[in-house]
Amino acid sequence: PWKRSKANLGKLEIGDYIFFNCTFLEKNTGERARYIVGYFVLKEILAIDDIAKRHLTDKMPYCANEHVQHHRDWGHFGTVFVGDPKKSKKLRKPIRLDKKLVNNLDLKDAQGNSLAKQFDKKKDKSGRIMSEMQIVSSYTRNPKILNERQVKTLLEMARKT
């Protein structure tokens, strides 16, 4: 089923970049932090229904996709995004999504407010000031569209890893 939080995925086109992020535990401090761990350039966008109709469910790269593997159980809804392996990269050294990078990228929340300006100010539902990790994690929970400058900045950083 369609989810509003995933609406930006429907705006993607062949050649667009998808950056992947996850949470790691810092070895030295035990602190949790959000990192960009890789990206891929979209090579193909297919509906799961089309993959099944074209009898591609047993072919690579579709057969390795969790949604395709379970299409009989879950139904034929959804979309598979296939990356170009020649243009995609798993980073050797992940890029930390911290205040400095958020500010450099000039990331905005859903209302268009600067994410960087929310550090040390934004409060959770209980009225407590949210941590850097909470703000970044909340922002990255759903797909976001990045502008050309933001993509270029992240690609330059990724090439240095």
Side-chain angles (χ1 to χ4, degrees):
W2 184 82
K3 293 180 180 178
R4 190 172 136 294
S5 62
K6 306 297 181 211
N8 282 333
L9 291 174
K11 298 174 185 174
L12 292 173
E13 299 175 354
I14 304 301
D16 283 347
Y17 288 82
I18 295 179
F19 290 88
F20 297 94
N21 67 84
C22 65
T23 301
F24 288 135
L25 194 62
E26 295 283 350
K27 290 180 184 177
N28 302 342
T29 63
E31 172 188 34
R32 292 174 25 176
R34 208 78 180 155
Y35 286 85
I36 295 172
V37 296
Y39 64 87
F40 68 56
V41 178
L42 281 175
K43 177 181 172 184
E44 201 172 4
I45 303 170
L46 288 171
I48 291 175
D49 195 32
D50 290 340
I51 293 170
K53 285 177 186 172
R54 291 169 52 190
H55 308 287
L56 298 173
T57 55
D58 295 330
K59 307 263 190 285
M60 281 301 284
Y62 317 106
C63 65
N65 184 283
E66 189 77 15
H67 298 92
V68 174
Q69 289 175 8
H70 293 284
H71 76 277
R72 288 182 186 90
D73 303 328
W74 297 348
H76 293 291
F77 62 87
T79 305
V80 173
F81 298 93
V82 180
D84 183 336
K86 294 177 183 169
K87 297 179 180 177
S88 304
K89 183 176 182 179
K90 179 180 176 185
L91 304 183
R92 285 189 304 253
K93 184 179 178 197
I95 300 168
R96 185 173 174 154
L97 274 163
D98 57 11
K99 287 181 191 181
K100 183 179 176 185
L101 181 56
V102 165
N103 191 45
N104 185 16
L105 294 173
D106 191 28
L107 298 178
K108 309 275 190 220
D109 65 15
Q111 291 74 39
N113 301 314
S114 169
L115 200 64
K117 291 181 180 176
Q118 295 178 29
F119 291 112
D120 304 319
K121 294 177 187 168
K122 187 173 182 177
K123 296 182 180 180
D124 64 17
K125 292 176 184 175
S126 303
R128 294 180 299 241
I129 299 287
M130 292 175 70
S131 69
E132 179 180 304
M133 169 64 185
Q134 288 172 313
I135 292 171
V136 172
S137 184
S138 177
Y139 176 81
T140 58
R141 193 160 286 124
N142 294 309
K144 303 291 186 279
I145 301 292
L146 300 176
N147 64 37
E148 237 178 274
R149 186 192 69 77
Q150 292 166 327
V151 170
K152 185 179 176 183
T153 298
L154 289 174
L155 291 174
E156 286 172 4
M157 293 176 78
R159 286 187 185 105
K160 294 176 184 175
T161 67

